[in-house]
Amino acid sequence: MRILIVNPNTTASMTEKAAQAARAVAGHGTEIVAATSRNGPASIEGHYDGAIAVPGLLLEIRAGQAAGADAAIIACFDDTGLEAARTLADIPVLGLCESALMTAALLAQRFTAVTTLERSRVLIENLVVRYGMGGRAKVRAADIPVLDLEDKDSGALAKLRRQIELALTKDRAEAIVLGCAGMTDLAQLLQREYGVPVVDGVSAAVKQAEALVAQGLTTSKRGSYAAPIAKPYTGSMQAFAPE
Amino acid sequence: MRILIVNPNTTASMTEKAAQAARAVAGHGTEIVAATSRNGPASIEGHYDGAIAVPGLLLEIRAGQAAGADAAIIACFDDTGLEAARTLADIPVLGLCESALMTAALLAQRFTAVTTLERSRVLIENLVVRYGMGGRAKVRAADIPVLDLEDKDSGALAKLRRQIELALTKDRAEAIVLGCAGMTDLAQLLQREYGVPVVDGVSAAVKQAEALVAQGLTTSKRGSYAAPIAKPYTGSMQAFAPE
Amino acid sequence: MRILIVNPNTTASMTEKAAQAARAVAGHGTEIVAATSRNGPASIEGHYDGAIAVPGLLLEIRAGQAAGADAAIIACFDDTGLEAARTLADIPVLGLCESALMTAALLAQRFTAVTTLERSRVLIENLVVRYGMGGRAKVRAADIPVLDLEDKDSGALAKLRRQIELALTKDRAEAIVLGCAGMTDLAQLLQREYGVPVVDGVSAAVKQAEALVAQGLTTSKRGSYAAPIAKPYTGSMQAFAPE
Amino acid sequence: MRILIVNPNTTASMTEKAAQAARAVAGHGTEIVAATSRNGPASIEGHYDGAIAVPGLLLEIRAGQAAGADAAIIACFDDTGLEAARTLADIPVLGLCESALMTAALLAQRFTAVTTLERSRVLIENLVVRYGMGGRAKVRAADIPVLDLEDKDSGALAKLRRQIELALTKDRAEAIVLGCAGMTDLAQLLQREYGVPVVDGVSAAVKQAEALVAQGLTTSKRGSYAAPIAKPYTGSMQAFAPE
Amino acid sequence: MRILIVNPNTTASMTEKAAQAARAVAGHGTEIVAATSRNGPASIEGHYDGAIAVPGLLLEIRAGQAAGADAAIIACFDDTGLEAARTLADIPVLGLCESALMTAALLAQRFTAVTTLERSRVLIENLVVRYGMGGRAKVRAADIPVLDLEDKDSGALAKLRRQIELALTKDRAEAIVLGCAGMTDLAQLLQREYGVPVVDGVSAAVKQAEALVAQGLTTSKRGSYAAPIAKPYTGSMQAFAPE
Amino acid sequence: MRILIVNPNTTASMTEKAAQAARAVAGHGTEIVAATSRNGPASIEGHYDGAIAVPGLLLEIRAGQAAGADAAIIACFDDTGLEAARTLADIPVLGLCESALMTAALLAQRFTAVTTLERSRVLIENLVVRYGMGGRAKVRAADIPVLDLEDKDSGALAKLRRQIELALTKDRAEAIVLGCAGMTDLAQLLQREYGVPVVDGVSAAVKQAEALVAQGLTTSKRGSYAAPIAKPYTGSMQAFAPE
């Protein structure tokens, strides 16, 4: 089984980190293939970055599926482009936020996702509501620029710890969800430290991808995710035209 | 006051129709400027078309704001790219679905939006929930390819009538919302015919845009719509980098 | 176009203030006509005042419609009598709370309405839920008796500022809604001061009224707002009998 | 214990029917006192009738409390004026809809309220949502003018049966709520006929009133139902001024 | 009328306290019969205790119904086994949480239930949501082991007062619900002390039971509470087989 | 990795069927151990059967954990005893309904669970709401006694097909969830037949169990699932006392 992880931002060190996390949990016989978007922002911080990242992301998913991937993961906690990718692809597509929230829901009745910047907080709160977790999950922002997570000396970990502690005491969180693909290497450390489940989206998505493939399940093509209808695409988007 | 209407698909006849509808309701002193996306699909039918249409749409909004527009309207009922546009622009940005649902809510306690294809139905139902109308608005699909609305002989109007009639009898709709920018020319005809309010998204959005400008209100830049952070953008998306 | 603003309390200075705010945003060719209820309480503070104010309010709306008004506004943030007025009138009727919340929703994903007294807070929270904004809007009370807003030396403005500051820091409000018709003159001052959109209900309602009239839309008479059925009315309410 | 039942419409035969139903379920030592509003519509059909009925209703509650009533019931399924009455009175005040829905909720997981006219249906659906029953209760209208319930030959019972049968088969109702004070005499007949619980609002409210009085409980005066603040009331509403 | 109160834990002093509270509010002619479970935990603190308590509880309800009870009450605020009991019995069955929340809802728009241990808090929050009170009721835990309520010197009352005070100031509670059967003797004391309604679940359930019996209402056997289907039961559960 | 599947009813043929389905999807190195409850009903049809099945189920989970299981699955679509089991065990515990709904949510925006009997329908609808899927999942009952699924000639499959067809046409289901452990062998057949994803709860739960174990995650012991507190248990439940 081959699982494609696409980093929808263009920062290769984050891709590498996600690939490592993925390989650490992948099952026997699962091959992890990682791709970094070649077209878009260096990090996804808010709605604008996210929207512009989507075409580059979809290119990688299309290429990955053509190259034989059995499932794809979008390695951004905003689940950027998830619905478009499910519409495009025949293979299952997973997002980090959806996968992580569902995983946390199997472990705890109340939990908190800690993300990077305040501007991403409402965006993730909207996903929480949409995925049906509005009554049990809260979202906090640790005031960490995404790329600071790549720099050990940025103070990012201390800020993250502070929000986890507030989650445990103020939100009555029974588990923590790490709300950025760039935090994936911290899950085990923090789980040991706080003694509650700490869910990483990359790991969660890999296991969901494996689960779907093993069950012979893929995205329904009846209704909202039906394959794109053939039509002219114009200008710089010409290459995206469905056949 | 200058209001920019951007058609996020590349079909100029739909832009023209929207511009006419806009001019018909625009207030004294409002200038309507219409732009057609030059990069993207010929029509937006489902999540994939919508996602790919966004960069082309954002280009037009950026250009329109630079040219002095006081507000912008995204002329697609899916509210494609609305959040990204609000993040990008300093001027107010309106979507057809949001504007039309809010308008209908001032006129009726129950109403139904009739859109084109089944694949757009869940997408719009999700918007309905997100805009807080889940308890009072239903969505129907008339099985009309979007571009058939440009062709008088396509049978599209008969299909639309059929769904309106079902909305009135089965959904207990007290008002109808036309769920596609391409239906904008039919609102008055259908309102006379059925004797209930028939809301067109283009008209609704124009009046909301005027309303915001007249009140000196624009998108909040505190929190989720904060302006994009300067950072490198790569490849075909380089031109989108925020400054 | 003639828009009637009815103050459902009997304090003429509040009517005057609302009329001024209305005229400041009214479009070219819009005439603002203001009426003060002649039957009811001097201010509306809670459910009882509100219920007793309704017949006096409806009298003014009936008279205003007979005199040629194209739309009516109920100038109280509790939206007192809004449903009854929509049932009675053939012209569109707007409430301040509904209009202001919908306006704020076009500008921000999270916002807070600041009202006067604690006793009105739950009442407005119930409206927030009913209008579908329960997930994004909060309500605060500034502990200001309504008529103190008419007195520059009452300390009301300082109390209001205190709650706005809490809204911005604690509620993560991205915009502020002024939750009383008597605060209408403060919107611009506070918007400049805090750098976020500050929405005034009177202004918002005027623009919604204009929007509906320009679109040829009025309250649906199918279903819940159907015109009153002719029947005997008795005693002091005899004059209210529908014909 | 003395329980006051106020019929907020002016039709004395409906008051009498409600009083009989009340006496049939009243506990040992409970005295039922019935009053008919002297100011307002002959029946309450929709928002307008309901709003105009409130002052006349409040007069009777104020008089009843002064005369020693221990609790009051508003004998209309729309719960007209319930919040204002709770604000006014020191004794508990019950509405038929709220009491009946809560009673049905103790007996069944799904149930349907059958009301009279279509125009009351959305109004009652809104109450259902507000009382927290939106997920389990449906509302149907039997197309019966309220006063037809006073006339044995009106065909009203057949229409009511038709909707009950649809509720059982289509809504999967496990119990039925009679959605009009004028249906109170039919509950036992229909319960025998259909073999499911049939809840009458008058009976339910009497037992809730007794329950509260026996427990020494009355409306909280902290927060939203705080007693009206003394202030001038003007014109025809002068008599309603709180002291 | 005979009302059976079953204490689903095995601590007889709690049964006695509940029986006393029940007799204090019972109507003329109501006989209160109390039973203590003979099979299960000494107190119910969390999901596990609750699940194991159910068979012992159902035995007592079955026996009580056979002995002529007209209604049954499960004297635990977790409403442990309520649905199974309603399925089993032909007589109405009441839970403390459901009865108390519904009673509080007739008195206040916002209220808070104060329970014993943190581990019961989410469980009760889930009931609050399920009973439709999610928008108006909050839950607090006072950190009191259940059996400490039987010991006057345990400091339990001080902890309870602390949470009530926080409920009034932080939650804007207009009424308090005592969230444990063991607190039943404190309701009147605390109501006098704080000047807001304090609802006790045992008292509330007794009055709801009387109300249903007086109205000739019992659990619907159509749908979700249909009587158990005869089938083999095995091992230690053999005695529970439906006939 | 060893995964324990407990059939909470006493019918061994259903256990065997579940074990086969589990083995078909289990990953390399996963051992499936199946246990049949020895204490309880032969099938779980409604609330009463479910409640009585719990102690027998918990015995098997306790024994399985002691014998080295790494995760446990409760093989009943009602998720009977799931919360108690999570409280009891240190290893992750999965339910079929929760696992299947979450799996379907990754594949489709609308889906329908088809269960056996009408009496289980509301119970599962309540789970759907609790798991946050109320807006996207519907439940249908095929009128099949659970044990008929063990008999090829019972006509059960035809009834199931009928409801799947209604789900696709009336509910706009994009995927189907099989709502009973006894249907586990039909998933692949029906998926091929209808061309939409057909999710089986046993398979879904096995993959979720593997996913949690691989990630080093288990139920949070902070808050609502905290381990049972040591205390006396009496009578037939003595053996269940936590240590």
Side-chain angles (χ1 to χ4, degrees), chain B residues 82-137:
Chain B
L82 180 56
E83 292 164 323
R86 284 184 175 154
T87 301
L88 171 67
D90 294 323
I91 56 176
V93 186
L94 285 305
L96 302 199
C97 181
E98 190 177 33
S99 299
L101 293 179
M102 288 191 169
T103 300
L106 302 172
L107 304 167
Q109 297 206 46
R110 296 282 178 273
F111 46 93
T112 293
V114 184
T115 190
T116 52
L117 292 180
E118 192 65 29
R119 64 177 55 210
S120 299
R121 191 171 178 186
V122 171
L123 193 160
I124 294 172
E125 287 175 338
N126 289 350
L127 293 179
V128 164
V129 169
R130 184 143 169 225
Y131 298 151
M133 305 286 174
R136 57 201 291 202

Coordinates of all heavy atoms in Angstrom, one line a residue, chain B residues 82-137:
Chain B
L82 N -14.8 33.3 -0.8 CA -15.3 34.4 -0.1 C -14.4 34.8 1.1 O -14.0 35.9 1.3 CB -16.7 34.2 0.4 CG -17.4 35.3 1.1 CD1 -17.4 36.7 0.4 CD2 -18.8 35.0 1.5
E83 N -14.0 33.8 1.8 CA -13.2 34.1 3.0 C -11.8 34.5 2.6 O -11.2 35.5 3.2 CB -13.1 32.8 3.9 CG -14.4 32.5 4.5 CD -14.4 31.1 5.1 OE1 -13.8 30.2 4.4 OE2 -15.0 30.9 6.1
A84 N -11.2 33.9 1.5 CA -9.9 34.4 1.1 C -10.0 35.8 0.6 O -9.1 36.7 0.8 CB -9.4 33.5 0.0
A85 N -11.1 36.1 -0.1 CA -11.2 37.5 -0.7 C -11.3 38.5 0.5 O -10.8 39.6 0.4 CB -12.4 37.6 -1.6
R86 N -12.1 38.1 1.5 CA -12.2 39.1 2.6 C -10.9 39.3 3.4 O -10.6 40.3 3.9 CB -13.3 38.6 3.6 CG -14.7 38.8 3.1 CD -15.8 38.4 4.1 NE -17.1 38.7 3.5 CZ -18.2 38.1 3.8 NH1 -18.2 37.1 4.7 NH2 -19.3 38.5 3.3
T87 N -10.1 38.2 3.3 CA -8.8 38.3 4.0 C -7.8 39.2 3.1 O -7.1 40.1 3.6 CB -8.1 36.9 4.1 OG1 -9.0 36.1 4.9 CG2 -6.8 37.0 4.7
L88 N -7.9 39.1 1.8 CA -7.1 39.9 0.9 C -7.5 41.3 0.9 O -6.6 42.2 0.9 CB -7.3 39.3 -0.5 CG -6.6 40.1 -1.7 CD1 -5.1 40.1 -1.5 CD2 -7.1 39.5 -3.0
A89 N -8.8 41.6 0.7 CA -9.2 43.0 0.4 C -9.4 43.9 1.6 O -9.7 43.4 2.7 CB -10.5 42.9 -0.4
D90 N -9.3 45.1 1.4 CA -9.6 46.1 2.5 C -11.1 46.6 2.3 O -11.7 47.1 3.2 CB -8.7 47.3 2.4 CG -7.3 46.9 2.7 OD1 -7.1 46.1 3.6 OD2 -6.4 47.5 2.1
I91 N -11.6 46.4 1.1 CA -13.0 46.8 0.9 C -13.9 45.6 1.2 O -13.5 44.5 1.3 CB -13.2 47.2 -0.6 CG1 -12.7 46.0 -1.6 CG2 -12.4 48.5 -0.9 CD1 -13.0 46.3 -3.0
P92 N -15.2 45.9 1.5 CA -16.1 44.8 1.8 C -16.3 43.9 0.6 O -16.2 44.3 -0.6 CB -17.5 45.5 2.0 CG -17.2 46.9 2.2 CD -15.8 47.2 1.5
V93 N -16.4 42.6 0.9 CA -16.7 41.6 -0.2 C -17.9 40.8 0.2 O -18.1 40.4 1.3 CB -15.5 40.6 -0.3 CG1 -15.7 39.7 -1.5 CG2 -14.1 41.3 -0.4
L94 N -18.8 40.7 -0.8 CA -20.1 40.0 -0.6 C -20.2 38.7 -1.5 O -19.7 38.7 -2.6 CB -21.2 40.9 -1.0 CG -21.6 42.1 -0.1 CD1 -21.9 41.5 1.3 CD2 -20.6 43.2 0.0
G95 N -20.8 37.7 -1.0 CA -21.1 36.5 -1.7 C -22.6 36.5 -2.0 O -23.4 37.1 -1.3
L96 N -23.0 35.8 -3.1 CA -24.4 35.7 -3.5 C -25.2 34.9 -2.5 O -26.4 35.3 -2.1 CB -24.6 35.1 -4.9 CG -23.9 35.8 -6.0 CD1 -24.6 35.3 -7.3 CD2 -23.8 37.3 -5.9
C97 N -24.7 33.8 -2.1 CA -25.5 32.9 -1.2 C -25.8 33.6 0.1 O -26.9 33.7 0.6 CB -24.8 31.6 -1.0 SG -25.6 30.4 0.0
E98 N -24.7 34.1 0.8 CA -24.9 34.8 2.0 C -25.8 35.9 2.0 O -26.7 36.1 2.8 CB -23.5 35.2 2.5 CG -23.5 35.7 4.0 CD -22.1 36.1 4.5 OE1 -21.2 36.6 3.6 OE2 -21.8 35.9 5.6
S99 N -25.6 36.8 0.9 CA -26.5 37.9 0.8 C -28.0 37.5 0.5 O -28.9 38.1 1.1 CB -26.0 38.8 -0.4 OG -24.7 39.3 -0.2
A100 N -28.2 36.5 -0.3 CA -29.5 36.1 -0.6 C -30.2 35.5 0.6 O -31.4 35.7 0.8 CB -29.5 35.2 -1.8
L101 N -29.5 34.6 1.3 CA -30.1 34.0 2.4 C -30.5 35.0 3.5 O -31.6 35.0 4.1 CB -29.2 33.0 3.1 CG -28.8 31.7 2.2 CD1 -27.9 30.8 3.0 CD2 -30.1 30.9 1.9
M102 N -29.7 36.0 3.7 CA -30.0 37.0 4.7 C -31.1 37.9 4.3 O -31.9 38.3 5.1 CB -28.7 37.8 5.0 CG -27.7 37.0 5.8 SD -26.4 38.0 6.4 CE -25.6 36.8 7.5
T103 N -31.2 38.1 3.0 CA -32.3 38.9 2.5 C -33.6 38.1 2.6 O -34.6 38.6 3.1 CB -32.1 39.2 1.0 OG1 -30.9 40.0 0.9 CG2 -33.3 40.0 0.4
A104 N -33.6 36.9 2.3 CA -34.8 36.0 2.4 C -35.3 35.9 3.9 O -36.5 35.9 4.2 CB -34.6 34.6 1.8
A105 N -34.3 35.9 4.8 CA -34.6 35.8 6.2 C -35.4 37.0 6.7 O -36.0 36.9 7.8 CB -33.3 35.6 7.0
L106 N -35.3 38.1 6.0 CA -36.0 39.3 6.5 C -37.5 39.3 6.0 O -38.3 40.1 6.3 CB -35.3 40.6 5.9 CG -33.9 40.8 6.4 CD1 -33.3 41.9 5.6 CD2 -33.8 41.0 7.9
L107 N -37.8 38.3 5.1 CA -39.1 38.3 4.4 C -39.9 37.1 4.8 O -41.1 37.1 4.5 CB -38.8 38.3 2.9 CG -38.0 39.4 2.3 CD1 -37.6 39.1 0.9 CD2 -38.8 40.7 2.4
A108 N -39.3 36.0 5.3 CA -40.0 34.8 5.4 C -39.3 33.9 6.5 O -38.1 34.1 6.8 CB -40.0 34.0 4.1
Q109 N -40.1 33.1 7.2 CA -39.5 32.2 8.2 C -39.0 30.9 7.7 O -38.2 30.2 8.3 CB -40.5 32.0 9.4 CG -40.8 33.3 10.1 CD -41.3 33.1 11.5 OE1 -40.7 32.4 12.3 NE2 -42.4 33.8 11.9
R110 N -39.6 30.5 6.5 CA -39.1 29.3 5.8 C -38.9 29.6 4.4 O -39.7 30.3 3.8 CB -40.2 28.2 5.9 CG -40.6 27.7 7.3 CD -39.5 26.7 7.8 NE -39.9 26.3 9.2 CZ -39.5 27.0 10.3 NH1 -38.8 28.1 10.2 NH2 -39.8 26.5 11.5
F111 N -37.8 29.2 3.8 CA -37.6 29.4 2.4 C -36.7 28.3 1.8 O -36.0 27.6 2.5 CB -37.0 30.8 2.1 CG -35.9 31.2 3.0 CD1 -34.5 31.0 2.7 CD2 -36.1 31.8 4.3 CE1 -33.5 31.3 3.5 CE2 -35.0 32.1 5.1 CZ -33.7 31.9 4.7
T112 N -36.6 28.3 0.5 CA -35.9 27.3 -0.2 C -35.0 27.9 -1.3 O -35.5 28.7 -2.0 CB -36.9 26.2 -0.8 OG1 -37.5 25.5 0.2 CG2 -36.1 25.2 -1.7
A113 N -33.8 27.5 -1.3 CA -32.9 27.9 -2.4 C -32.9 26.8 -3.5 O -32.8 25.6 -3.2 CB -31.5 28.1 -2.0
V114 N -33.1 27.2 -4.8 CA -33.1 26.2 -5.8 C -31.9 26.4 -6.7 O -31.6 27.5 -7.2 CB -34.4 26.3 -6.7 CG1 -34.4 25.2 -7.8 CG2 -35.6 26.3 -5.9
T115 N -31.0 25.4 -6.7 CA -29.7 25.5 -7.4 C -29.8 24.7 -8.7 O -30.8 24.2 -9.0 CB -28.5 25.2 -6.5 OG1 -27.3 25.5 -7.2 CG2 -28.5 23.7 -6.2
T116 N -28.6 24.5 -9.3 CA -28.6 23.9 -10.6 C -28.4 22.3 -10.5 O -29.4 21.6 -10.6 CB -27.4 24.4 -11.4 OG1 -26.2 24.3 -10.6 CG2 -27.6 25.8 -11.8
L117 N -27.2 21.9 -10.1 CA -26.9 20.5 -10.1 C -26.9 19.8 -8.7 O -26.6 20.5 -7.7 CB -25.6 20.2 -10.8 CG -25.5 20.5 -12.3 CD1 -24.1 20.3 -12.7 CD2 -26.5 19.7 -13.0
E118 N -27.3 18.6 -8.7 CA -27.3 17.9 -7.4 C -25.9 18.0 -6.7 O -25.9 18.1 -5.5 CB -27.6 16.4 -7.7 CG -27.8 15.5 -6.5 CD -29.1 15.9 -5.8 OE1 -30.1 16.4 -6.4 OE2 -29.2 15.7 -4.6
R119 N -24.8 18.0 -7.4 CA -23.5 18.0 -6.8 C -23.2 19.4 -6.1 O -22.3 19.4 -5.3 CB -22.4 17.8 -7.9 CG -22.3 18.9 -8.9 CD -21.2 18.7 -9.9 NE -21.3 17.4 -10.5 CZ -20.2 16.7 -10.9 NH1 -19.0 17.2 -10.7 NH2 -20.4 15.5 -11.4
S120 N -24.0 20.4 -6.4 CA -23.8 21.7 -5.7 C -24.8 21.7 -4.5 O -24.6 22.7 -3.7 CB -24.2 22.8 -6.6 OG -23.3 22.8 -7.7
R121 N -25.7 20.8 -4.4 CA -26.7 20.9 -3.4 C -26.1 20.8 -2.0 O -26.4 21.6 -1.1 CB -27.7 19.8 -3.6 CG -29.0 19.9 -2.8 CD -30.0 18.9 -3.3 NE -31.2 18.9 -2.6 CZ -32.2 18.0 -2.8 NH1 -32.0 17.1 -3.7 NH2 -33.3 18.1 -2.1
V122 N -25.3 19.8 -1.7 CA -24.8 19.6 -0.4 C -23.8 20.8 -0.1 O -23.8 21.3 1.1 CB -24.0 18.3 -0.3 CG1 -23.2 18.2 1.0 CG2 -25.0 17.1 -0.4
L123 N -23.1 21.2 -1.0 CA -22.2 22.4 -0.9 C -23.0 23.6 -0.4 O -22.6 24.3 0.6 CB -21.5 22.7 -2.2 CG -20.3 23.6 -2.3 CD1 -19.6 23.4 -3.6 CD2 -20.8 25.1 -2.2
I124 N -24.1 23.8 -1.0 CA -25.0 25.0 -0.6 C -25.6 24.7 0.8 O -25.8 25.6 1.6 CB -26.0 25.3 -1.7 CG1 -25.2 25.9 -2.9 CG2 -27.0 26.4 -1.2 CD1 -26.0 26.1 -4.1
E125 N -26.1 23.4 1.0 CA -26.6 23.1 2.3 C -25.6 23.4 3.4 O -25.9 23.8 4.5 CB -27.0 21.6 2.4 CG -28.3 21.3 1.6 CD -28.6 19.8 1.5 OE1 -27.7 19.0 1.7 OE2 -29.8 19.5 1.3
N126 N -24.3 23.1 3.1 CA -23.3 23.4 4.1 C -23.2 24.9 4.4 O -23.0 25.3 5.5 CB -21.9 22.8 3.7 CG -21.9 21.3 3.7 OD1 -22.8 20.7 4.3 ND2 -20.8 20.7 3.2
L127 N -23.3 25.7 3.3 CA -23.3 27.2 3.5 C -24.5 27.6 4.3 O -24.4 28.4 5.2 CB -23.3 27.9 2.2 CG -22.1 27.8 1.3 CD1 -22.3 28.5 0.0 CD2 -20.8 28.3 2.0
V128 N -25.7 27.0 4.0 CA -26.9 27.3 4.8 C -26.7 27.1 6.3 O -27.0 28.0 7.1 CB -28.1 26.5 4.2 CG1 -29.2 26.5 5.2 CG2 -28.5 27.0 2.9
V129 N -26.1 26.0 6.6 CA -25.8 25.7 8.0 C -24.8 26.7 8.6 O -25.0 27.3 9.7 CB -25.3 24.3 8.2 CG1 -24.8 24.0 9.6 CG2 -26.4 23.3 7.9
R130 N -23.8 26.9 7.8 CA -22.7 27.9 8.3 C -23.2 29.3 8.5 O -22.8 30.0 9.5 CB -21.6 27.9 7.3 CG -20.5 28.7 7.7 CD -19.2 28.1 7.3 NE -18.3 29.1 7.5 CZ -17.4 29.5 6.7 NH1 -17.2 28.9 5.6 NH2 -16.6 30.5 7.0
Y131 N -24.2 29.7 7.7 CA -24.7 31.1 7.8 C -25.9 31.1 8.8 O -26.6 32.1 9.0 CB -25.2 31.6 6.5 CG -24.1 31.7 5.4 CD1 -24.4 31.6 4.1 CD2 -22.8 32.0 5.8 CE1 -23.4 31.7 3.1 CE2 -21.8 32.1 4.8 CZ -22.1 32.0 3.5 OH -21.1 32.2 2.6
G132 N -26.1 30.0 9.5 CA -27.1 30.0 10.6 C -28.5 29.8 10.2 O -29.4 30.1 10.9
M133 N -28.7 29.3 8.9 CA -30.1 29.2 8.4 C -30.6 27.7 8.4 O -31.6 27.4 7.7 CB -30.2 29.8 7.0 CG -29.7 31.2 6.9 SD -30.9 32.4 7.6 CE -30.0 33.9 7.5
G134 N -29.8 26.8 9.0 CA -30.1 25.4 8.9 C -31.5 25.0 9.3 O -32.1 24.1 8.8
G135 N -32.1 25.8 10.2 CA -33.4 25.4 10.7 C -34.5 26.0 9.9 O -35.7 25.6 10.0
R136 N -34.2 26.9 8.9 CA -35.3 27.5 8.2 C -35.2 27.4 6.7 O -36.2 27.8 6.0 CB -35.5 28.9 8.6 CG -34.2 29.8 8.5 CD -34.3 31.0 9.4 NE -35.3 32.0 9.0 CZ -35.2 33.3 9.3 NH1 -34.3 33.7 10.1 NH2 -36.2 34.1 9.0
A137 N -34.0 27.1 6.1 CA -33.9 27.1 4.7 C -33.6 25.7 4.2 O -32.8 24.9 4.8 CB -32.7 28.0 4.3

